[in-house]
Amino acid sequence: MKGVTTATPVIATTGASATMLKASTVILPHAEEVGLRRGSSPATITFTTGRVNYGPADKGSEKKERIVSHTMDGGHNGAAKIPEPSAKQDTAHVLSRQEMKDVSEHYPIPYEHHDMFGFRVTEEEKATEDCERRSNQESRACLQKWQHIVNNWEAVAPVKLKKYCRRGIPQSLRCLVWQRLLQSRQMRDDNPGLYTRLRSQPLTSRDLEDVIERDLHRTFPTNRLFCAGESSQGQQLLRGILHAYANYNTNVGYCQGMGFIAATLILQVEEEEDVFWAFVALMEEEKYSMKGIFSPSFPQLQCMFYVFEALMQQKMPKLYDQLHNRHQVQPYFYAVHWFMTVFTYYFNFGLASRIWDMFLCEGWKPVYRVALALLKIEEQRLLSLKTETELLLALKSIQESKRPAHLLKAALRIRFKSAYVKELTAQYKAQSG
């Protein structure tokens, strides 16, 4: 089945009419294109993903879910290309209005529930989340410890703060703690009224405005705060924040992927002006410096891939040889969204929030650890694959079905010194001039 990047519902057919299907198939589309330059030759990577959900025709049958991932084109001769489906394979049939009505009556869409963050989930996913929440209730002792940290912020030792952030910040305190970690409230206090002026100020070009507008619907389309179209509260907030930042830093402006960073802050920090200054802190402060990821030619992203591969070579030399040397599968084929969106593009939002707890406290080191842990958990399977296409497909879906506790434990077991990351960063900058 081929990826679909339109809001029109699509039914997969195999020669039978749509109304003869035993299960409805709804593709929730999302696509992003990221252009990278390596040396003098550009490499353009197109990612198209869709979550396909099957609703049962019979009352007793089970709902199934799988991920379809489709095309990656590196823009050069060595790039892997996922083959197009043959005529004998499944094809995509766009439903007429009557067919859509018939399908909706006979085959209910399984997205009838929302998780605690407002994302559409299946009944099974909701049940799993409810079970996890019951077993991980924010204990009174935990909340008291965090309240003590918040009330005595300046006196808390960095080691203690890091320890508790790794365990997870209580959801009820994330809004406050994230702003403390980012020191964004001080930025707001130092610049009264600036956000309002930047938001109302025209952008430097109409093209920039069009690009921002085009990408709004691509950001968290399954979240109820963002999914109601241009009039949704989430999209209005996102539009204002991205518009204001494009005026705040005209050298960076806007780049695809920024929306996921801003939307994550909208869901956690909530108040619009606080979200903007938290976003500015992530972009501008040296600890995070995400503007380098989104600047022309993506300098920081390329540096991160250099560091990531060096760490992989040290921690998983056989896998490094399999990916880098035997099949020339570079991180920009599979890890762009891991770093550009700090895992919010793929992961369950609860897990992504746990990663952000560590990221905002420690900087990029936990992000490298999680990325390496994803490979470590699947190392033996990846080593068994024989072709570039098999590897790309496996890497594309590697983040699926990862249990948060298991992944985070695996990440924290991967140890390396922050000084080593700084050394690798300096090496890259020296080599790239």
Side-chain angles (χ1 to χ4, degrees), residues 135-153:
S135 62
N136 294 290
Q137 286 293 324
E138 296 175 359
S139 68
R140 180 174 296 181
C142 176
L143 286 171
Q144 286 177 343
K145 287 178 181 178
W146 268 104
Q147 196 62 59
H148 176 78
I149 289 172
V150 168
N151 293 338
N152 299 275
W153 189 262

Side-chain angles (χ1 to χ4, degrees), residues 193-294:
L194 180 58
Y195 171 64
T196 302
R197 295 195 298 274
L198 291 169
R199 187 184 58 185
S200 59
Q201 179 182 322
L203 292 173
T204 55
S205 75
R206 179 59 186 271
D207 289 343
L208 188 58
E209 185 176 344
D210 290 342
V211 171
I212 291 175
E213 201 66 30
R214 184 189 68 199
D215 287 344
L216 291 177
H217 75 279
R218 298 179 175 184
T219 306
F220 293 157
T222 63
N223 185 281
R224 57 186 169 192
L225 189 66
F226 293 91
C227 69
E230 295 181 6
S231 62
S232 72
Q233 182 184 2
Q235 288 200 20
Q236 290 182 36
L237 291 170
L238 192 57
R239 181 185 294 110
I241 289 159
L242 296 176
H243 181 113
Y245 182 75
N247 282 325
Y248 181 88
N249 188 331
T250 55
N251 292 325
V252 176
Y254 170 77
C255 176
Q256 282 185 330
M258 283 184 177
F260 285 90
I261 303 300
T264 297
L265 294 170
I266 287 171
L267 291 175
Q268 293 287 15
V269 177
E270 300 171 357
E271 204 279 318
E272 183 175 356
E273 190 168 357
D274 285 337
V275 171
F276 172 73
W277 288 110
F279 184 77
V280 170
L282 279 171
M283 293 293 135
E284 305 290 333
E285 292 299 306
E286 185 178 0
K287 183 177 182 178
Y288 316 104
S289 195
M290 292 195 75
K291 66 182 179 183
I293 291 179
F294 298 106

Side-chain angles (χ1 to χ4, degrees), residues 7-79:
T8 307
V10 172
I11 295 297
T13 64
T14 54
S17 67
T19 54
M20 293 292 289
L21 288 174
K22 292 186 178 180
S24 66
T25 308
V26 178
I27 296 181
L28 303 178
H30 189 88
E32 289 223 20
E33 295 180 0
V34 180
L36 297 178
R37 292 190 176 275
R38 294 179 62 81
S40 59
S41 60
T44 301
I45 307 102
T46 300
F47 295 86
T48 303
T49 63
R51 173 170 287 190
V52 181
N53 295 277
Y54 296 89
D58 301 319
K59 191 172 183 180
S61 62
E62 294 183 356
K63 296 174 184 175
K64 298 179 181 179
E65 177 177 280
R66 66 185 174 88
I67 296 296
V68 288
S69 56
H70 309 288
T71 60
M72 294 185 189
D73 185 351
H76 60 280
N77 294 333

Side-chain angles (χ1 to χ4, degrees), residues 90-204:
D90 291 355
T91 57
H93 170 66
V94 180
L95 297 185
S96 67
R97 188 180 298 274
Q98 182 58 45
E99 286 174 323
M100 289 171 65
K101 183 175 183 295
D102 292 340
V103 169
S104 64
E105 289 176 354
H106 291 89
Y107 313 112
I109 296 173
Y111 282 114
E112 301 168 352
H113 306 276
H114 292 84
D115 66 13
M116 64 183 293
F117 301 103
F119 288 89
R120 285 203 302 268
V121 294
T122 62
E123 184 177 351
E124 288 85 355
E125 289 171 330
K126 180 62 176 175
T128 299
E129 183 198 48
D130 290 344
C131 181
E132 290 177 352
R133 288 177 67 184
R134 284 194 296 270
S135 62
N136 294 290
Q137 286 293 324
E138 296 175 359
S139 68
R140 180 174 296 181
C142 176
L143 286 171
Q144 286 177 343
K145 287 178 181 178
W146 268 104
Q147 196 62 59
H148 176 78
I149 289 172
V150 168
N151 293 338
N152 299 275
W153 189 262
E154 299 299 331
V156 176
V159 173
K160 182 178 181 180
L161 183 60
K162 180 170 69 174
K163 172 184 172 183
Y164 279 98
C165 285
R166 288 180 177 182
R167 292 179 180 178
I169 301 168
Q171 179 59 30
S172 58
L173 292 174
R174 269 203 178 105
C175 173
L176 177 59
V177 174
W178 280 20
Q179 290 180 81
R180 291 282 181 87
L181 291 169
L182 289 163
Q183 300 181 27
S184 55
R185 276 287 181 91
Q186 186 62 48
M187 298 174 74
R188 174 178 176 168
D189 293 342
D190 291 343
N191 297 277
L194 180 58
Y195 171 64
T196 302
R197 295 195 298 274
L198 291 169
R199 187 184 58 185
S200 59
Q201 179 182 322
L203 292 173
T204 55

